[in-house]
Amino acid sequence: MERKYTKEHEWVTVDGDVATVGVTEYAATELGDVVFLELPEEGSTVDQGAAVGTIETVKSVEDLYCPVSGEIVEVNEAVLDAPELVNQQPLEDGWLFKVQMSEPSQADELLDEGDYASLIGG
Amino acid sequence: MSHPETENLKTTPLTGWHREAGARMVPYAGFEMPVQYRGVLAEHNVVREKVGIFDITHMGEILVTGAGAEAWLDGLATNRVQGLALGSIVYTAMCRDGGGVLDDMLIYRLGDREWMVVCNAANHGKIAGWLAERSTGADVALDDVSGTTALIAVQGPEAAALLDRLTVLADRRDDLHALEFYTGFTHDGPGGRWIVSRTGYTGERGYELYVPAADAAVLWDDLLSAGEDLGVEPIGLAARDTLRFEVAYSLYGHELTEEVTPLEAGIGWAVRLKDRIFVGRDVLAAQKAAGVSRRIVGLEVLSPKEGRPAPIARQDAEVFSGDLCVGVVTSGTRSPSLERSLALALVDVDAVGADLEVDIRGRRARVRMVPLPFLPARVKGDPHAERHPVND
């Protein structure tokens, strides 16, 4: 499945019209040890670009932005119980939430792998 | 790669080493300092379980000499300086006339008429200026040696074992073994005078070494190679903060500011009123007699869901009793050693014992008050002693 990216260092994979969202390996490394997460409620409606939660380390609080508009259909309970999953497996078990997209074309317009690699200077 | 955000910042003799080691460098009190190397949690645990070394050269060191030095310092410090034994060290605050804390610091008695004030980097200019102003007419001379002095802290249960292995201190082993907490000695090092003291701000057995800038890089390398099998690692400022937080040591800009008195901030033990006159004494004596109206307390943020990490109340989060704001968080994070969301907060004494909540970005979370320190320090006695959180 093709992975898309945002300038806010999140990744998105799309299955039908459901987008799965997480943070990139680059972000996980830059953030350092994640110790707390606040994620949006299941069933809530979210807009592209809106702050929908926080990702916290010992030292800092960063906002999580929603890369696409729609309805939150699933939140990763495992990562809420064990925030270190974000550092350990940011692209797999450390995913954050799933969005039933109201405008699936938004996902197509996100950065591709090459764009994102240039963004982070890789 | 350029470091635009670190331009015009002061460096230490170890800044190049930190950069090469891949440390994350941040501006801190006008210096470019390492905030973390391998990761704050790993570094924190190294100091609790093994031994870590810190570059804290950003701290300010001001030598005070002269026949009048002892009485003059005693007239500025909240803690008793007069009569301090040679080689002893005292933790103290200096206050404004109104009792607000200018800074907290260590004062070393290096000689009969020679003393050293070690202040926070962020307050260095303020303290240097304040001391200079106050020295007019006193029989003292001030010499700010911060620019030529490097400071390396060695902290953790294996700290004594590590220093024992240093060739440069080989002929001082008896002195090292004899060092009590808050004492030190001077040593003729390769580049000039060293000051070695059993002090630190982590709650672990530890030492601090003030050395001429020219000796810093060799000492740092020696510590790392001599302590390899002890598990020694360099430790950044982020872990320094979590380490001091768990043992509830006050940090300027958090628990201590010019807006609070040392009695409110929880360092009343460093205020000696009896038979003494010092700046701020009248206000502090009156406050002590009347009782403080607010004080630093320990809080644990409770998780809304069993087994899940609790939200973190950070500095400036407001503490509520019902609709009434009764305090403010001064420091808060997830404690790496205790794995709980803990906070130090300045709270109205009337609210102590009430059901409290904290506002975390617009959401209320329940908190419970816990005794301080969150984790007992083991700066004296067995550095490996088993320890249990005080609040269990």
Side-chain angles (χ1 to χ4, degrees):
Chain A
M1 206 179 307
E2 193 196 357
R3 208 181 286 270
K4 294 285 204 170
Y5 299 88
T6 72
K7 286 178 185 156
E8 286 78 31
H9 306 290
E10 287 163 315
W11 57 259
V12 175
T13 56
V14 176
D15 185 6
D17 56 2
V18 173
T20 303
V21 180
V23 300
T24 64
E25 282 183 302
Y26 173 82
T29 305
E30 284 294 302
L31 280 165
D33 302 307
V34 175
V35 295
F36 183 76
L37 286 159
E38 188 181 304
L39 296 178
E41 301 274 336
E42 277 179 23
S44 61
T45 304
V46 292
D47 291 327
Q48 186 179 40
V52 293
T54 58
I55 184 162
E56 304 195 24
T57 65
V58 165
K59 285 294 267 188
S60 70
V61 184
E62 303 292 338
D63 281 322
L64 280 171
Y65 296 96
C66 200
V68 289
S69 301
E71 184 190 331
I72 302 293
V73 288
E74 194 180 344
V75 166
N76 186 355
E77 298 284 330
V79 84
L80 288 172
D81 289 338
E84 62 271 19
L85 281 174
V86 173
N87 296 110
Q88 293 162 353
Q89 300 184 38
L91 305 183
E92 292 94 27
D93 292 355
W95 65 275
L96 301 178
F97 55 88
K98 295 185 183 184
V99 187
Q100 174 99 43
M101 292 184 286
S102 53
E103 297 171 56
S105 63
Q106 286 177 340
D108 302 331
E109 290 154 21
L110 298 175
L111 305 178
D112 64 23
E113 185 113 34
D115 296 335
Y116 184 67
S118 327
L119 178 75
I120 61 175
Chain B
M1 210 168 119
S2 68
H3 298 266
E5 75 280 13
T6 56
E7 272 171 24
N8 302 320
L9 291 174
K10 285 187 262 189
T11 57
T12 81
L14 298 166
T15 304
W17 191 96
H18 304 317
R19 287 187 193 145
E20 272 190 30
R24 181 165 308 170
M25 305 298 287
V26 296
Y28 182 82
F31 281 80
E32 178 188 349
M33 296 302 288
V35 68
Q36 69 165 49
Y37 302 83
R38 192 155 67 91
V40 57
L41 298 181
E43 291 167 33
H44 177 103
N45 291 332
V46 163
V47 176
R48 287 277 182 256
E49 291 158 16
K50 297 169 184 171
V51 56
I53 59 173
F54 304 69
D55 177 12
I56 49 171
T57 298
H58 56 302
M59 305 285 284
E61 295 92 8
I62 300 167
L63 295 176
V64 183
T65 51
E70 184 171 6
W72 181 72
L73 283 168
D74 198 65
L76 301 177
T78 60
N79 209 342
R80 189 183 302 276
V81 174
Q82 188 92 44
L84 194 68
L86 188 68
S88 283
I89 301 151
V90 67
Y91 173 86
T92 185
M94 288 189 187
C95 292
R96 292 207 171 280
D97 288 321
V101 179
L102 281 163
D103 199 11
D104 64 329
M105 62 195 69
L106 296 183
I107 297 181
Y108 286 64
R109 181 162 211 170
L110 299 176
D112 191 35
R113 296 180 174 189
E114 185 184 12
W115 305 71
M116 177 170 70
V117 172
V118 183
C119 63
N120 282 300
N123 291 330
H124 181 189
K126 177 173 79 174
I127 290 299
W130 193 74
L131 292 178
E133 247 171 62
R134 297 262 166 184
S135 69
T136 314
D139 187 9
V140 297
L142 302 179
D143 183 12
D144 193 327
V145 295
S146 308
T148 54
T149 305
L151 176 51
I152 295 172
V154 182
Q155 304 278 306
E158 302 299 340
L162 175 51
L163 288 196
D164 245 1
R165 296 179 181 188
L166 285 183
T167 313
V168 66
L169 291 174
D171 61 348
R172 304 305 298 270
R173 282 192 189 125
D174 289 345
D175 296 315
L176 273 172
H177 297 168
L179 275 190
E180 301 277 347
F181 188 50
Y182 270 61
T183 66
F185 60 79
T186 57
H187 174 68
D188 281 329
R193 184 172 73 171
W194 288 27
I195 298 162
V196 178
S197 62
R198 191 169 151 194
T199 47
Y201 225 56
T202 61
E204 297 300 328
R205 169 67 77 94
Y207 300 85
E208 291 176 311
L209 289 85
Y210 301 80
V211 304
D215 288 345
V218 172
L219 172 59
W220 186 262
D221 285 340
D222 284 352
L223 286 165
L224 288 171
S225 52
E228 203 172 348
D229 64 304
L230 296 172
V232 67
E233 287 188 32
I235 311 296
L237 293 180
R240 183 169 156 83
D241 189 26
T242 54
L243 288 159
R244 71 91 199 166
F245 170 76
E246 288 179 341
V247 289
Y249 290 175
S250 305
L251 181 60
Y252 202 88
H254 292 260
E255 290 69 45
L256 301 171
T257 69
E258 290 191 18
E259 315 308 317
V260 301
T261 73
L263 300 174
E264 295 166 328
I267 57 166
W269 56 270
V271 178
R272 295 299 169 99
L273 297 167
K274 195 165 183 286
D275 304 328
R276 299 185 62 234
I277 298 170
F278 58 87
V279 181
R281 186 193 182 281
D282 293 348
V283 171
L284 296 178
Q287 189 176 50
K288 188 164 185 187
V292 293
S293 60
R294 52 184 189 162
R295 64 180 174 93
I296 292 285
V297 299
L299 301 177
E300 177 181 4
V301 185
L302 303 174
S303 177
K305 192 172 174 206
E306 177 88 25
R308 184 162 285 180
I312 300 168
R314 298 184 187 268
Q315 184 170 29
D316 297 331
E318 292 181 325
V319 181
F320 285 87
S321 170
D323 290 334
L324 197 64
C325 179
V326 294
V328 63
V329 169
T330 53
S331 298
T333 190
R334 183 167 171 84
S335 153
S337 295
L338 301 172
E339 299 188 320
R340 301 183 198 180
S341 171
L342 301 173
L344 295 168
L346 185 63
V347 170
D348 295 345
V349 291
D350 294 342
V352 170
D355 278 340
L356 298 179
E357 290 181 316
V358 62
D359 180 299
I360 301 176
R361 291 181 300 281
R363 265 190 229 184
R364 293 285 186 92
R366 284 186 54 224
V367 297
R368 72 179 181 106
M369 209 167 280
V370 293
L372 293 176
F374 301 116
L375 190 73
R378 39 184 191 188
V379 291
K380 301 174 192 170
D382 179 4
H384 297 93
E386 281 264 346
R387 87 181 125 191
H388 303 284
V390 170
N391 51 320
D392 264 4

